């Protein structure tokens, strides 16, 4: 019997704590990293994977995802996590809520969450967890159970559903959220419950609230104003949801979170204004644990690039201007932003037709997690590899109770990794991304730096553009408690 099931040889691996890739071999046994050494002979393993001197990163943790938002959970779980493998992600954490879309119903999470897990199980190609949004007053009382028993340690509140008027459509906020009182009272009570759970169970892993920061009441006003301007659709959408509403929501979040003492994650920052606001609330409330996310699309697309190409690029918050993209990159470099996610929502073309206002928001992007960071970050802007690994893998893993089982190439960690072809340049097409979505707002963008191989818990699942293994993703019941040893000496 061999010592290892698999050995990855000739790797230039990004190990925790090192700023440069280390020339190593990685021995894998029972789905975990069993050894990291200068050299392990192929004869010591049943199977060898020759990394051929290429970079090896820990599998990405795409922590903002929407399995089942517009299509059945079963279908999205299969096709959209396959797309994740293309971009080197081996774990996704998906947002789930009751209300419109998803399962289109409300009720207790004690009944609904097991159904969601049942639909995901056996279909996902990555490991997966869920963030849960308590939408009703009754669901607030489930937070303790969700944390202590169900493996959920992150929650969500949508600030832009408060005072929602769905762009003058006939649906009102209560019908959309299927909630009794989705206001700041609800949010504050939620914060208190999450803070309480954090005090009770937080020693096992961080327990936090994620916030979508935009203000519906102002959006309502600006939608009416922009309608008459005759601007192209995606610029219109940007102006209908101006960045200062993001700034306002971030300040509101700061006041409420500091009062409740809850850890928060500010999701998908899109603008220079938002970045500035984060700096301000960190200064005002230095005791608060505030972590910040931006997305691949906010880092790489502007509305100018997308005009004339349909409504595929409609998303909340909107795709913005060049100066916002630049501000977000500065925030990535200076550490204001902790992680990058895709906010992947498979939204088929048929939902993007007709007019700007009824078109559904969101699109897929998970296949570009490492590629965009390598292309736009490393090649164009000199973003260091260790920072890329933090942004795409270790930081979200730490924030959401997965580290260091996930998010690190370390002995004892799950053998989730991706072998990178740093100089491979491809023009993005929908086919390349392996998603069910027939279009992509990234169409035609040249991206340099792609995973050649992705491994999930020791099994090669994606290689040279092909899915090569059946779905074997497992539910990430958080916090993952196994504690790997730190790093090789
Ligand atoms: Zn989202």
């Amino acid at each position: 019997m061999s010592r290892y099931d698999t050995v990855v040889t000739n790797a230039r691996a990004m190990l925790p704590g090192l700023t440069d890739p280390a020339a190593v071999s990685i021995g894998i046994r029972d789905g975990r990293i069993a050894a990291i050494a200068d050299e392990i002979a192929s004869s010591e393993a049943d199977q060898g994977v020759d990394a051929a001197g290429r970079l090896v990163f820990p599998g990405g943790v795409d922590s903002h995802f929407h399995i089942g938002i517009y299509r059945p959970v079963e279908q999205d779980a299969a096709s959209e996590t396959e797309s994740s493998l293309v971009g080197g992600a081996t774990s996704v954490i998906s947002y789930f809520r009751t209300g419109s879309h998803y399962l289109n119903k409300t009720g207790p999470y004690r009944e609904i969450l097991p159904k969601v897990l049942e639909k995901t199980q056996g279909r996902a190609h990555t490991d997966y967890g869920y963030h849960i949004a308590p939408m009703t007053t009754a669901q607030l009382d489930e937070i303790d159970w969700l944390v202590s028993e169900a493996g959920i340690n992150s929650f969500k509140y949508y600030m832009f559903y408060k005072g929602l008027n769905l762009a003058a459509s006939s649906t009102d906020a209560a019908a959309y959220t299927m909630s009794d009182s989705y206001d700041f009272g609800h949010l504050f009570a939620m914060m208190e419950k999450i803070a309480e759970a954090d005090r009770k169970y937080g020693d096992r892993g961080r327990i936090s609230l994620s916030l979508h920061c935009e203000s519906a009441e102002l959006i309502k006003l600006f939608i009416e104003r922009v309608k008459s301007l005759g601007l192209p659709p995606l610029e219109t959408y940007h102006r209908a949801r101006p960045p200062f509403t993001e700034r306002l929501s971030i300040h509101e979040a700061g006041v409420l979170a500091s009062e409740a003492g809850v850890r928060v994650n500010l999701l998908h920052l899109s603008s220079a204004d938002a970045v500035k606001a984060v700096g301000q609330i960190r200064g005002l409330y230095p005791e608060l644990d505030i972590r910040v996310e931006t997305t691949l699309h906010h880092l790489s697309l502007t509305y100018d690039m997308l005009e004339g190409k349909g409504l595929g690029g409609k998303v909340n918050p909107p795709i913005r201007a060049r100066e916002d993209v630049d501000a977000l990159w500065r925030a990535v470099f200076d550490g204001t932003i902790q992680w990058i996610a895709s906010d992947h929502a498979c939204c088929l073309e048929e939902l993007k037709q007709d007019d700007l206002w009824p078109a559904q928001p969101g699109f897929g992007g998970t296949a570009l997690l490492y590629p965009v960071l390598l292309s736009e970050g490393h090649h164009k802007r000199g973003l260091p590899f260790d920072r890329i690994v933090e942004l795409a893998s270790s930081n979200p893993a730490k924030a959401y109770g997965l580290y260091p089982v996930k998010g690190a190439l370390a002995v004892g960690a799950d053998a989730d990794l991706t072998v990178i072809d740093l100089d491979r340049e491809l023009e993005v097409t929908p086919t390349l991304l392996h998603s069910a979505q027939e279009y992509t707002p990234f169409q035609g963008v040249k991206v340099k730096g792609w995973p050649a191989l992705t491994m999930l818990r020791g099994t090669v699942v994606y290689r040279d553009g092909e899915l090569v293994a059946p779905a074997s993703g497992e539910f990430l019941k958080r916090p993952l408690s196994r504690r790997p040893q730190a790093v090789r000496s």
Side-chain angles (χ1 to χ4, degrees):
M1 212 181 94
S2 312
R3 198 155 163 209
Y4 303 110
D5 302 326
T6 303
V7 61
V8 181
T9 54
N10 297 314
R12 289 172 59 230
M14 287 308 300
L15 306 179
L18 302 185
T19 50
D20 292 309
V24 292
S25 296
I26 301 170
I28 295 160
R29 197 169 47 231
D30 299 331
R32 297 179 193 172
I33 297 177
I36 298 177
D38 291 341
E39 211 176 326
I40 300 173
S42 311
S43 58
E44 286 193 72
D46 296 337
Q47 181 197 247
V49 170
D50 185 359
R54 288 175 295 191
L55 285 167
V56 176
F57 288 169
V61 176
D62 192 348
S63 64
H64 193 150
F65 218 92
H66 293 277
I67 292 172
I69 181 170
Y70 298 128
R71 301 195 312 148
V73 170
E74 295 91 330
Q75 290 180 21
D76 267 4
S79 61
E80 304 316 296
T81 58
E82 176 180 336
S83 185
S84 300
L85 302 179
V86 177
T90 48
S91 298
V92 307
I93 315 178
S94 197
Y95 284 93
F96 184 83
R97 60 161 174 75
T98 54
S100 294
H101 303 306
Y102 298 99
L103 302 184
N104 239 311
K105 64 174 182 186
T106 186
Y109 280 118
R110 276 174 189 273
E111 287 166 23
I112 290 177
L113 180 61
K115 294 208 175 77
V116 175
L117 295 182
E118 203 177 294
K119 290 170 188 292
T120 321
Q121 204 200 349
R123 296 190 170 88
H125 292 275
T126 60
D127 285 350
Y128 53 92
Y130 281 100
H131 313 276
I132 292 292
M135 304 302 289
T136 66
T137 308
Q139 287 169 352
L140 294 178
D141 291 328
E142 297 189 285
I143 288 171
D144 191 283
W145 169 79
L146 285 163
V147 172
S148 62
E149 290 180 48
I152 307 297
N153 61 9
S154 44
F155 299 88
K156 184 171 185 180
Y157 181 82
Y158 301 75
M159 296 181 88
F160 82 117
Y161 288 169
K162 184 179 81 71
L164 183 79
N165 170 329
L166 283 176
S169 78
S170 55
T171 325
D172 70 3
Y176 187 77
T177 58
M178 299 185 195
S179 137
D180 41 358
S181 64
Y182 203 73
D183 58 11
F184 274 175
H186 180 76
L187 170 58
F188 190 71
M190 187 190 308
M191 286 177 159
E192 288 178 323
K193 296 266 188 199
I194 296 167
E196 189 188 323
D198 188 47
R199 284 191 296 274
K200 270 170 85 175
Y201 311 111
D203 57 336
R204 291 157 45 190
R206 181 174 182 266
I207 295 162
S208 63
L209 172 64
S210 294
L211 293 161
H212 179 135
C213 299
E214 284 189 287
S215 163
E217 293 160 30
L218 290 163
I219 290 169
K220 208 170 358 182
L221 172 72
F222 280 89
I223 284 176
E224 289 315 311
R225 288 190 181 171
V226 298
K227 276 181 173 169
S228 59
L229 296 179
L231 293 166
L234 293 173
E235 181 176 357
T236 299
Y237 201 63
H238 153 67
R239 290 184 185 233
R241 308 171 77 102
F244 89 91
T245 82
E246 208 177 7
R247 171 153 58 99
L248 174 67
S249 292
I250 289 169
H251 275 278
E252 289 172 331
V255 173
L256 293 164
S258 73
E259 194 63 27
V262 67
R263 301 174 195 279
V264 290
N265 314 304
L266 306 178
L267 300 184
H268 48 48
L269 254 62
S270 72
S271 62
D273 249 27
V275 169
K276 198 198 290 173
V278 168
Q280 289 166 341
I281 67 164
R282 281 190 173 138
L284 285 168
Y285 316 109
E287 73 288 358
L288 264 189
D289 175 358
I290 304 168
R291 304 198 192 177
V292 175
E293 169 191 282
T294 191
T295 70
L296 300 167
H297 45 275
H298 290 112
L299 284 174
S300 35
L301 303 175
T302 63
Y303 55 76
D304 283 341
M305 293 165 70
L306 300 176
E307 300 297 7
K309 298 178 182 169
L311 299 170
K314 177 179 170 180
V315 66
N316 299 331
I319 299 295
R320 305 227 182 254
R322 175 54 56 190
E323 54 266 32
D324 294 303
V325 172
D326 292 342
L328 290 171
W329 275 110
R330 281 196 297 277
V332 164
F333 274 87
D334 72 18
T336 302
I337 287 173
Q338 274 67 56
W339 67 83
I340 314 291
S342 66
D343 195 359
H344 188 98
C346 178
C347 184
L348 299 181
E349 217 153 44
E350 65 191 27
L351 301 178
K352 294 283 196 183
Q353 310 251 313
D354 311 323
D355 281 344
L356 173 62
W357 306 109
Q360 293 292 355
F363 49 77
T366 187
L368 296 167
L369 183 62
Y370 274 127
V372 160
L373 284 169
L374 290 163
S375 192
E376 296 293 315
H378 177 73
H379 287 298
K380 285 196 190 153
R381 295 175 173 86
L383 189 65
F385 294 135
D386 59 333
R387 185 77 184 123
I388 289 177
V389 166
E390 281 176 6
L391 290 162
S393 182
S394 15
N395 282 354
K398 285 173 183 171
Y400 291 124
L402 300 176
Y403 194 85
V405 177
K406 305 293 188 186
L409 295 176
V411 172
D414 282 357
D416 296 346
L417 57 83
T418 185
V419 178
I420 303 287
D421 245 340
L422 187 59
D423 292 317
R424 184 173 171 80
E425 186 171 51
L426 297 169
E427 212 174 273
V428 176
T429 64
T431 318
L432 193 63
L433 306 183
H434 288 237
S435 158
Q437 195 181 275
E438 320 92 319
Y439 67 93
T440 166
F442 295 89
Q443 173 90 42
V445 175
K446 284 203 174 99
V447 174
K448 188 173 174 182
W450 291 86
L453 177 151
T454 303
M455 186 184 276
L456 174 66
R457 282 179 279 100
T459 302
V460 176
V461 286
Y462 170 84
R463 189 199 287 262
D464 299 328
E466 301 290 337
L467 180 73
V468 294
S472 63
E474 289 177 359
F475 176 54
L476 297 166
K477 190 169 182 189
R478 296 176 289 143
L480 292 183
S481 54
R482 193 154 35 82
R483 294 283 157 211
Q485 303 156 25
V487 206
R488 95 196 230 275
S489 50

